[in-house]
Short mmCIF file of all heavy atoms in Angstrom, two decimals:
data_model
loop_
_atom_site.label_atom_id
_atom_site.label_comp_id
_atom_site.label_asym_id
_atom_site.label_seq_id
_atom_site.Cartn_x
_atom_site.Cartn_y
_atom_site.Cartn_z
N GLY A 1 -2.99 -1.04 6.82
CA GLY A 1 -3.07 0.24 7.50
C GLY A 1 -2.11 0.53 8.55
O GLY A 1 -2.38 1.36 9.41
N TYR A 2 -0.92 -0.01 8.49
CA TYR A 2 -0.02 0.15 9.60
C TYR A 2 0.65 1.58 9.46
O TYR A 2 1.33 1.87 8.42
CB TYR A 2 1.11 -0.91 9.64
CG TYR A 2 1.68 -1.06 10.95
CD1 TYR A 2 1.15 -2.10 11.77
CD2 TYR A 2 2.76 -0.29 11.49
CE1 TYR A 2 1.68 -2.32 13.09
CE2 TYR A 2 3.35 -0.47 12.78
CZ TYR A 2 2.73 -1.54 13.54
OH TYR A 2 3.19 -1.74 14.72
N PRO A 3 0.62 2.45 10.53
CA PRO A 3 1.13 3.78 10.38
C PRO A 3 2.74 3.69 10.20
O PRO A 3 3.39 2.82 10.64
CB PRO A 3 0.80 4.42 11.77
CG PRO A 3 -0.37 3.57 12.26
CD PRO A 3 -0.13 2.18 11.74
N MET A 4 3.17 4.73 9.49
CA MET A 4 4.60 4.91 9.36
C MET A 4 5.28 3.87 8.39
O MET A 4 6.54 3.83 8.34
CB MET A 4 5.34 4.99 10.65
CG MET A 4 4.64 5.76 11.77
SD MET A 4 4.39 7.49 11.25
CE MET A 4 5.99 8.20 11.03
N LEU A 5 4.46 3.18 7.74
CA LEU A 5 5.01 2.04 6.82
C LEU A 5 4.99 2.39 5.39
O LEU A 5 4.33 1.90 4.54
CB LEU A 5 4.26 0.76 7.08
CG LEU A 5 4.94 -0.54 6.72
CD1 LEU A 5 6.23 -0.74 7.37
CD2 LEU A 5 3.96 -1.71 6.95
N ILE A 6 5.79 3.43 5.06
CA ILE A 6 5.88 3.96 3.70
C ILE A 6 7.35 4.26 3.39
O ILE A 6 8.10 4.85 4.26
CB ILE A 6 4.99 5.24 3.57
CG1 ILE A 6 4.88 5.68 2.10
CG2 ILE A 6 5.42 6.33 4.36
CD1 ILE A 6 4.02 4.73 1.31
N PRO A 7 7.94 3.90 2.31
CA PRO A 7 7.30 3.04 1.25
C PRO A 7 7.21 1.54 1.82
O PRO A 7 7.96 1.13 2.62
CB PRO A 7 8.18 3.16 0.13
CG PRO A 7 9.57 3.33 0.77
CD PRO A 7 9.34 4.23 1.96
N THR A 8 6.19 0.84 1.25
CA THR A 8 6.05 -0.56 1.57
C THR A 8 7.21 -1.27 0.86
O THR A 8 7.86 -0.81 -0.03
CB THR A 8 4.75 -1.05 1.05
OG1 THR A 8 4.52 -0.70 -0.34
CG2 THR A 8 3.56 -0.44 1.91
N TYR A 9 7.40 -2.57 1.24
CA TYR A 9 8.48 -3.30 0.76
C TYR A 9 8.17 -4.76 0.60
O TYR A 9 7.19 -5.23 1.15
CB TYR A 9 9.74 -3.08 1.62
CG TYR A 9 9.57 -3.43 3.02
CD1 TYR A 9 9.76 -4.79 3.52
CD2 TYR A 9 9.25 -2.47 3.98
CE1 TYR A 9 9.54 -5.17 4.93
CE2 TYR A 9 9.04 -2.73 5.33
CZ TYR A 9 9.25 -3.99 5.77
OH TYR A 9 9.00 -4.35 7.16
N GLU A 10 9.00 -5.50 -0.02
CA GLU A 10 8.69 -6.99 -0.32
C GLU A 10 8.70 -7.75 0.99
O GLU A 10 9.44 -7.58 1.94
CB GLU A 10 9.82 -7.57 -1.22
CG GLU A 10 9.55 -9.02 -1.46
CD GLU A 10 10.61 -9.51 -2.60
OE1 GLU A 10 11.48 -8.73 -3.05
OE2 GLU A 10 10.56 -10.75 -2.86
N ILE A 11 7.67 -8.62 1.01
CA ILE A 11 7.40 -9.47 2.15
C ILE A 11 6.83 -10.66 1.67
O ILE A 11 6.25 -10.74 0.54
CB ILE A 11 6.53 -8.77 3.23
CG1 ILE A 11 6.64 -9.40 4.66
CG2 ILE A 11 5.14 -8.59 2.78
CD1 ILE A 11 6.06 -8.58 5.72
N ASN A 12 6.80 -11.75 2.49
CA ASN A 12 6.10 -12.95 2.06
C ASN A 12 4.56 -12.90 2.33
O ASN A 12 4.05 -13.28 3.38
CB ASN A 12 6.69 -14.12 2.83
CG ASN A 12 6.01 -15.53 2.35
OD1 ASN A 12 5.56 -15.57 1.11
ND2 ASN A 12 5.95 -16.47 3.29
N GLY A 13 3.88 -12.18 1.41
CA GLY A 13 2.50 -11.89 1.62
C GLY A 13 2.18 -10.49 0.88
O GLY A 13 2.50 -10.22 -0.20
N TRP A 14 1.57 -9.59 1.71
CA TRP A 14 1.16 -8.26 1.23
C TRP A 14 1.24 -7.25 2.31
O TRP A 14 1.19 -7.59 3.51
CB TRP A 14 -0.12 -8.28 0.53
CG TRP A 14 -1.33 -9.03 1.30
CD1 TRP A 14 -1.62 -10.34 1.01
CD2 TRP A 14 -2.11 -8.47 2.29
NE1 TRP A 14 -2.76 -10.64 1.87
CE2 TRP A 14 -2.92 -9.61 2.65
CE3 TRP A 14 -2.16 -7.31 2.89
CZ2 TRP A 14 -3.95 -9.36 3.62
CZ3 TRP A 14 -3.16 -7.10 3.93
CH2 TRP A 14 -4.09 -8.16 4.24
N MET A 15 1.43 -6.06 1.90
CA MET A 15 1.59 -4.87 2.81
C MET A 15 0.83 -3.68 2.29
O MET A 15 1.06 -3.31 1.08
CB MET A 15 3.02 -4.65 3.07
CG MET A 15 3.36 -3.53 3.95
SD MET A 15 5.21 -3.28 4.09
CE MET A 15 5.67 -4.84 4.81
N VAL A 16 0.02 -3.03 3.19
CA VAL A 16 -0.68 -1.80 2.77
C VAL A 16 -0.38 -0.77 3.87
O VAL A 16 -0.68 -1.07 5.02
CB VAL A 16 -2.20 -2.00 2.64
CG1 VAL A 16 -2.84 -0.72 2.20
CG2 VAL A 16 -2.40 -3.03 1.55
N ALA A 17 0.13 0.41 3.45
CA ALA A 17 0.55 1.40 4.45
C ALA A 17 -0.74 2.05 5.00
O ALA A 17 -1.84 1.99 4.50
CB ALA A 17 1.38 2.47 3.63
N GLY A 18 -0.45 2.87 6.11
CA GLY A 18 -1.50 3.48 6.82
C GLY A 18 -1.19 4.96 7.06
O GLY A 18 -0.53 5.57 6.21
N LEU A 19 -1.55 5.52 8.12
CA LEU A 19 -1.31 6.85 8.55
C LEU A 19 0.18 7.31 8.39
O LEU A 19 1.02 6.57 8.74
CB LEU A 19 -1.67 7.12 9.96
CG LEU A 19 -1.78 8.64 10.49
CD1 LEU A 19 -2.79 9.43 9.63
CD2 LEU A 19 -2.07 8.78 11.89
N GLY A 20 0.33 8.46 7.66
CA GLY A 20 1.63 8.89 7.39
C GLY A 20 2.13 8.60 6.00
O GLY A 20 3.09 9.11 5.51
N ALA A 21 1.28 7.79 5.21
CA ALA A 21 1.69 7.36 3.90
C ALA A 21 1.25 8.39 2.90
O ALA A 21 0.45 9.28 3.14
CB ALA A 21 1.03 6.02 3.55
N SER A 22 1.83 8.24 1.69
CA SER A 22 1.43 9.19 0.57
C SER A 22 1.38 8.32 -0.66
O SER A 22 2.17 7.41 -0.88
CB SER A 22 2.47 10.30 0.47
OG SER A 22 2.38 10.92 -0.84
N LYS A 23 0.50 8.71 -1.61
CA LYS A 23 0.37 7.97 -2.83
C LYS A 23 1.54 8.39 -3.75
O LYS A 23 1.60 7.89 -4.93
CB LYS A 23 -0.95 8.18 -3.49
CG LYS A 23 -2.08 7.43 -2.82
CD LYS A 23 -3.32 7.37 -3.60
CE LYS A 23 -4.28 6.42 -2.98
NZ LYS A 23 -5.58 6.19 -3.74
N LEU A 24 2.36 9.32 -3.40
CA LEU A 24 3.51 9.66 -4.21
C LEU A 24 4.61 8.62 -3.99
O LEU A 24 5.58 8.63 -4.74
CB LEU A 24 4.02 11.06 -3.81
CG LEU A 24 3.07 12.20 -4.02
CD1 LEU A 24 3.60 13.56 -3.45
CD2 LEU A 24 2.68 12.41 -5.50
N GLN A 25 4.49 7.77 -2.99
CA GLN A 25 5.42 6.67 -2.82
C GLN A 25 4.76 5.38 -2.90
O GLN A 25 3.52 5.25 -2.85
CB GLN A 25 6.17 6.85 -1.47
CG GLN A 25 7.09 8.05 -1.43
CD GLN A 25 8.00 8.05 -0.27
OE1 GLN A 25 7.60 8.35 0.86
NE2 GLN A 25 9.19 7.74 -0.42
N LYS A 26 5.48 4.25 -2.93
CA LYS A 26 4.95 2.91 -3.00
C LYS A 26 4.11 2.53 -1.68
O LYS A 26 4.74 2.41 -0.68
CB LYS A 26 5.98 1.98 -3.28
CG LYS A 26 5.42 0.53 -3.55
CD LYS A 26 6.54 -0.43 -4.07
CE LYS A 26 7.59 -0.67 -3.07
NZ LYS A 26 8.65 -1.65 -3.58
N TRP A 27 2.82 2.54 -1.80
CA TRP A 27 2.02 2.45 -0.57
C TRP A 27 1.46 0.99 -0.40
O TRP A 27 0.73 0.79 0.56
CB TRP A 27 0.89 3.47 -0.53
CG TRP A 27 -0.06 3.49 -1.74
CD1 TRP A 27 0.19 4.27 -2.87
CD2 TRP A 27 -1.26 2.87 -1.87
NE1 TRP A 27 -0.90 4.07 -3.69
CE2 TRP A 27 -1.74 3.19 -3.17
CE3 TRP A 27 -2.08 1.91 -1.14
CZ2 TRP A 27 -2.95 2.75 -3.67
CZ3 TRP A 27 -3.12 1.51 -1.59
CH2 TRP A 27 -3.70 1.89 -2.92
N ALA A 28 1.65 0.14 -1.39
CA ALA A 28 1.27 -1.27 -1.26
C ALA A 28 2.19 -2.16 -1.99
O ALA A 28 2.81 -1.82 -2.94
CB ALA A 28 -0.18 -1.40 -1.89
N TRP A 29 2.33 -3.34 -1.40
CA TRP A 29 3.22 -4.42 -2.03
C TRP A 29 2.47 -5.68 -1.90
O TRP A 29 1.87 -5.98 -0.85
CB TRP A 29 4.58 -4.53 -1.20
CG TRP A 29 5.54 -5.29 -2.07
CD1 TRP A 29 6.46 -4.74 -3.00
CD2 TRP A 29 5.63 -6.67 -2.13
NE1 TRP A 29 7.13 -5.82 -3.58
CE2 TRP A 29 6.68 -7.00 -3.08
CE3 TRP A 29 5.04 -7.75 -1.51
CZ2 TRP A 29 7.02 -8.30 -3.40
CZ3 TRP A 29 5.29 -9.07 -1.77
CH2 TRP A 29 6.36 -9.42 -2.74
N PRO A 30 2.41 -6.39 -3.08
CA PRO A 30 3.00 -6.18 -4.38
C PRO A 30 2.40 -4.90 -4.95
O PRO A 30 1.22 -4.50 -4.63
CB PRO A 30 2.65 -7.33 -5.15
CG PRO A 30 2.41 -8.44 -4.17
CD PRO A 30 1.83 -7.77 -3.05
N VAL A 31 3.10 -4.24 -5.80
CA VAL A 31 2.64 -2.85 -6.20
C VAL A 31 1.30 -2.86 -6.98
O VAL A 31 0.60 -1.94 -7.01
CB VAL A 31 3.76 -2.25 -7.14
CG1 VAL A 31 3.93 -2.97 -8.43
CG2 VAL A 31 3.52 -0.73 -7.33
N GLU A 32 0.98 -4.06 -7.68
CA GLU A 32 -0.19 -4.18 -8.35
C GLU A 32 -1.52 -4.02 -7.50
O GLU A 32 -2.62 -3.81 -7.92
CB GLU A 32 -0.34 -5.39 -9.22
CG GLU A 32 -0.20 -6.77 -8.37
CD GLU A 32 1.21 -7.26 -8.41
OE1 GLU A 32 2.20 -6.45 -8.64
OE2 GLU A 32 1.47 -8.45 -8.22
N LEU A 33 -1.25 -4.17 -6.19
CA LEU A 33 -2.43 -3.99 -5.27
C LEU A 33 -2.86 -2.59 -5.27
O LEU A 33 -4.08 -2.32 -4.96
CB LEU A 33 -2.00 -4.49 -3.83
CG LEU A 33 -1.87 -5.93 -3.56
CD1 LEU A 33 -1.39 -6.20 -2.13
CD2 LEU A 33 -3.11 -6.72 -3.90
N GLN A 34 -2.09 -1.67 -5.59
CA GLN A 34 -2.41 -0.21 -5.53
C GLN A 34 -3.59 0.03 -6.48
O GLN A 34 -4.54 0.64 -6.18
CB GLN A 34 -1.22 0.59 -5.95
CG GLN A 34 -0.11 0.59 -4.83
CD GLN A 34 1.01 1.47 -5.14
OE1 GLN A 34 1.94 1.71 -4.36
NE2 GLN A 34 1.06 2.03 -6.34
N ASP A 35 -3.44 -0.59 -7.78
CA ASP A 35 -4.55 -0.32 -8.69
C ASP A 35 -5.73 -1.06 -8.29
O ASP A 35 -6.96 -0.69 -8.44
CB ASP A 35 -4.14 -0.84 -10.06
CG ASP A 35 -3.07 0.12 -10.78
OD1 ASP A 35 -3.09 1.28 -10.39
OD2 ASP A 35 -2.30 -0.41 -11.54
N GLN A 36 -5.62 -2.32 -7.73
CA GLN A 36 -6.82 -3.07 -7.22
C GLN A 36 -7.49 -2.37 -6.15
O GLN A 36 -8.78 -2.31 -6.15
CB GLN A 36 -6.26 -4.49 -6.77
CG GLN A 36 -5.70 -5.31 -7.88
CD GLN A 36 -5.15 -6.64 -7.39
OE1 GLN A 36 -5.68 -7.28 -6.43
NE2 GLN A 36 -4.11 -7.13 -7.91
N LEU A 37 -6.85 -1.90 -5.12
CA LEU A 37 -7.38 -1.27 -4.01
C LEU A 37 -8.13 0.10 -4.30
O LEU A 37 -9.08 0.47 -3.70
CB LEU A 37 -6.41 -1.05 -2.85
CG LEU A 37 -5.89 -2.39 -2.13
CD1 LEU A 37 -4.92 -2.02 -1.11
CD2 LEU A 37 -7.11 -3.17 -1.54
N ASP A 38 -7.56 0.75 -5.34
CA ASP A 38 -8.22 1.98 -5.79
C ASP A 38 -9.50 1.78 -6.47
O ASP A 38 -10.26 2.75 -6.67
CB ASP A 38 -7.23 2.69 -6.80
CG ASP A 38 -6.35 3.77 -6.02
OD1 ASP A 38 -6.65 4.14 -4.92
OD2 ASP A 38 -5.25 4.07 -6.51
N LYS A 39 -9.88 0.45 -6.77
CA LYS A 39 -11.09 0.22 -7.54
C LYS A 39 -12.12 -0.48 -6.67
O LYS A 39 -13.35 -0.55 -6.98
CB LYS A 39 -10.81 -0.57 -8.80
CG LYS A 39 -9.87 0.01 -9.75
CD LYS A 39 -9.53 -0.87 -10.87
CE LYS A 39 -8.63 -0.21 -11.86
NZ LYS A 39 -8.14 -1.09 -12.95
N ILE A 40 -11.71 -1.04 -5.62
CA ILE A 40 -12.65 -1.94 -4.66
C ILE A 40 -13.68 -1.00 -4.05
O ILE A 40 -14.90 -1.26 -4.21
CB ILE A 40 -11.90 -2.66 -3.58
CG1 ILE A 40 -10.88 -3.60 -4.23
CG2 ILE A 40 -12.78 -3.46 -2.78
CD1 ILE A 40 -11.45 -4.59 -5.17
N ALA A 41 -13.28 -0.08 -3.31
CA ALA A 41 -14.27 0.83 -2.59
C ALA A 41 -14.03 2.33 -2.86
O ALA A 41 -14.24 3.15 -2.01
CB ALA A 41 -14.16 0.49 -1.10
N GLY A 42 -13.61 2.51 -4.10
CA GLY A 42 -13.27 3.95 -4.45
C GLY A 42 -11.76 4.22 -4.18
O GLY A 42 -11.18 3.27 -3.65
N PRO A 43 -11.30 5.29 -4.44
CA PRO A 43 -9.85 5.51 -4.33
C PRO A 43 -9.41 5.31 -2.95
O PRO A 43 -10.01 5.82 -1.96
CB PRO A 43 -9.64 7.03 -4.70
CG PRO A 43 -10.74 7.34 -5.67
CD PRO A 43 -11.91 6.47 -5.18
N PHE A 44 -8.28 4.57 -2.77
CA PHE A 44 -7.89 4.14 -1.35
C PHE A 44 -7.46 5.48 -0.65
O PHE A 44 -6.71 6.29 -1.21
CB PHE A 44 -6.75 3.16 -1.45
CG PHE A 44 -6.47 2.59 -0.10
CD1 PHE A 44 -7.09 1.48 0.34
CD2 PHE A 44 -5.37 3.21 0.68
CE1 PHE A 44 -6.77 0.95 1.63
CE2 PHE A 44 -5.06 2.56 1.92
CZ PHE A 44 -5.77 1.44 2.41
N SER A 45 -7.76 5.54 0.65
CA SER A 45 -7.41 6.69 1.46
C SER A 45 -6.70 6.19 2.75
O SER A 45 -7.05 5.16 3.24
CB SER A 45 -8.67 7.45 1.82
OG SER A 45 -8.27 8.61 2.62
N PHE A 46 -5.81 7.04 3.19
CA PHE A 46 -5.08 6.61 4.40
C PHE A 46 -5.62 7.31 5.64
O PHE A 46 -5.32 6.92 6.84
CB PHE A 46 -3.57 7.06 4.30
CG PHE A 46 -2.92 6.53 3.16
CD1 PHE A 46 -2.61 7.41 2.03
CD2 PHE A 46 -2.62 5.18 2.97
CE1 PHE A 46 -2.07 6.95 0.85
CE2 PHE A 46 -2.03 4.78 1.72
CZ PHE A 46 -1.65 5.52 0.75
#
């Protein structure tokens, strides 16, 4: 949920963007987390 962190990028772990993000760009890394988070508690929202 870190603001202004879009697009996310490779790191030793994981990264999920926050305020200022858009789903038109890579908002989670690794990228497969995007599909996972969209299913956990409904579509992910910033």
Side-chain angles (χ1 to χ4, degrees):
Y2 208 92
M4 317 305 293
L5 200 58
I6 190 75
T8 53
Y9 55 86
E10 183 175 354
I11 198 170
N12 183 30
W14 44 264
M15 180 182 295
V16 180
L19 188 65
S22 165
K23 286 195 170 181
L24 298 177
Q25 292 189 283
K26 186 168 64 176
W27 54 272
W29 195 92
V31 69
E32 56 265 27
L33 287 182
Q34 296 183 169
D35 289 335
Q36 294 177 35
L37 293 178
D38 269 337
K39 297 174 182 177
I40 299 302
F44 190 85
S45 176
F46 307 108

